[in-house]
Amino acid sequence: MKEQHHLTLPDLISLYGKQVRDEHVVPVALFALQLSPSEALCKYLKEQGYAFHEMARLLNRDARSVWTSYRRAQRKHQQPFSPVHSEIVLPLSLFKRRELSIFENIVWHLHTLQHSNKTIAQLLKRQPQVIATVLHRAREKQQVRYK
C-alpha cells in the first residue's frame, strides 16, 4: 500500500489512527452481564442513541431480530446500563461477520489479540472450559469456510 499510493510511514500511521478513532467500539465488559451477547449489544447500542434500522445495518442483521433482542434485554434488565468502562474495546464492525455467532466473534477476536482462555474467561465472566469450547467451534467454522 505504501508503494502503491506513495505514502510515507507517518502518513500511514496517521491514516490508520484516524480509521481506528472513527470506528464505533463496544466495551468488552458489556458482555460479562447476565444477558445474551446479542441482547447486551442491542441494548447498549440503543442506549447510545442508535435507531433499530441503523443497528441492523451496522450488525448485518435483520431489524426485527435487533428489535426482538432489545425487547428481551429490556425485560431482563430494565435499568439503563451504567457507564461501562473497559480497557479492552471491540470494533463494532466485528459483529458484521455472520459466519460466527456474536459470542464466537468476541472470543475469537480476543484470542487473536493473544489473550489466554483464562483471561478471556475472566473478562467475560465465564468458565475457561466454555471459552475453549467456543474457540473450538469457531476454529471448526473457520476451517469449513476456508476449504
Side-chain angles (χ1 to χ4, degrees):
M1 184 169 151
K2 182 178 174 182
E3 291 81 25
Q4 184 181 10
H5 297 287
H6 307 291
L7 297 172
T8 64
L9 186 58
D11 292 337
L12 284 173
I13 291 170
S14 73
L15 180 65
Y16 179 73
K18 181 182 182 322
Q19 187 176 10
V20 169
R21 283 191 299 276
D22 292 344
E23 175 78 49
H24 302 276
V25 293
V26 178
V28 76
L30 182 71
F31 300 101
L33 302 172
Q34 294 298 316
L35 297 173
S36 76
S38 174
E39 293 166 353
L41 183 58
C42 291
K43 183 169 170 47
Y44 177 78
L45 291 175
K46 186 65 178 168
E47 290 178 2
Q48 296 302 309
Y50 290 93
F52 290 114
H53 70 276
E54 205 177 358
M55 292 163 40
R57 183 184 52 78
L58 288 170
L59 301 175
N60 193 25
R61 304 282 194 277
D62 187 86
R64 293 170 293 193
S65 64
V66 169
W67 180 85
T68 302
S69 291
Y70 173 73
R71 292 295 299 156
R72 254 189 270 131
Q74 276 294 95
R75 278 190 225 118
K76 292 179 184 178
H77 192 275
Q78 295 171 354
Q79 306 85 5
F81 287 145
S82 55
V84 180
H85 297 289
S86 180
E87 288 183 21
I88 301 173
V89 292
L90 304 168
L92 197 54
S93 60
L94 174 72
F95 304 108
K96 276 191 171 216
R97 293 182 50 203
R98 295 296 302 263
E99 302 89 38
L100 301 177
S101 71
I102 290 177
F103 194 60
E104 288 168 345
N105 272 316
I106 295 165
V107 172
W108 184 260
H109 182 74
L110 292 173
H111 178 73
T112 59
L113 293 176
Q114 305 301 313
H115 291 288
S116 69
N117 287 3
K118 184 178 178 182
T119 305
I120 296 171
Q122 289 170 345
L123 287 170
L124 301 176
K125 294 189 179 166
R126 304 288 204 284
Q127 294 295 317
Q129 187 56 42
V130 170
I131 302 304
T133 302
V134 170
L135 266 176
H136 180 73
R137 277 193 315 229
R139 277 191 193 107
E140 284 181 345
K141 288 180 182 181
Q142 297 284 341
Q143 287 175 352
V144 167
R145 196 174 105 211
Y146 291 121
K147 282 188 178 178

